[in-house]
Amino acid sequence: MTIQQADMSQAQVDEFLQAPRIAVFGTVRAQGAPQLTPVWYLYENGQVFVSLSINSAKYRNLTRDPRVCICIAAPHPDARAVMIHGQAELIPEQSAWSDDIHWRITRRYYSSDDEAQEFLDSFPAEESALVSVTPAKVMAEDWN
């Protein structure tokens, strides 16, 4: 990932994206308007992974247009944010690898495996897809 506009170094961006923050995930609706959704994510090896339902608007939008924008901002009073523009790849088939990524996305937002599993068990089973985003442009801002 190459940062094109930066108030933060690559190492600072990598460290920032490791925290379990809420990301705003932007896709393009059929009429061209943005669809913005808060999501959990996993950042690893320069890729951003998001898990989503195949029945969601995000999924339908991505099947039509793979362009995405992701904004991850720190909570107040921390004034840092990272914006990622890129192409999404839908990975709908279940595999040991995708199941592991789905689990790791959920697990990073809970303090224990039991809490994460309880969260997953609270939802009815539905087909999900994994989204892998390859950043094309990254902007990192630090107003601290």
Side-chain angles (χ1 to χ4, degrees), residues 80-101:
R80 295 176 296 162
V82 173
M83 286 71 60
I84 299 169
H85 299 261
Q87 298 288 313
E89 177 188 353
L90 288 169
I91 306 167
E93 29 323 304
Q94 298 299 118
S95 68
W97 175 80
S98 66
D99 289 346
D100 178 58
I101 297 293

Side-chain angles (χ1 to χ4, degrees), residues 17-21 40-43 103-111 116:
L17 294 175
Q18 292 307 313
R21 305 176 196 282
W40 290 347
Y41 71 95
L42 174 68
Y43 173 72
W103 167 251
R104 289 170 49 211
I105 290 169
T106 301
R107 175 61 182 93
R108 66 186 250 124
Y109 290 88
Y110 285 92
S111 58

Side-chain angles (χ1 to χ4, degrees), residues 13-28:
V13 168
D14 291 344
E15 180 181 347
F16 178 83
L17 294 175
Q18 292 307 313
R21 305 176 196 282
I22 303 299
V24 177
F25 191 80
T27 59
V28 182

Side-chain angles (χ1 to χ4, degrees), residues 33-53:
Q35 166 87 32
L36 302 175
T37 310
V39 297
W40 290 347
Y41 71 95
L42 174 68
Y43 173 72
E44 195 168 82
N45 299 322
Q47 296 285 117
V48 179
F49 296 97
V50 175
S51 180
L52 51 84
S53 166

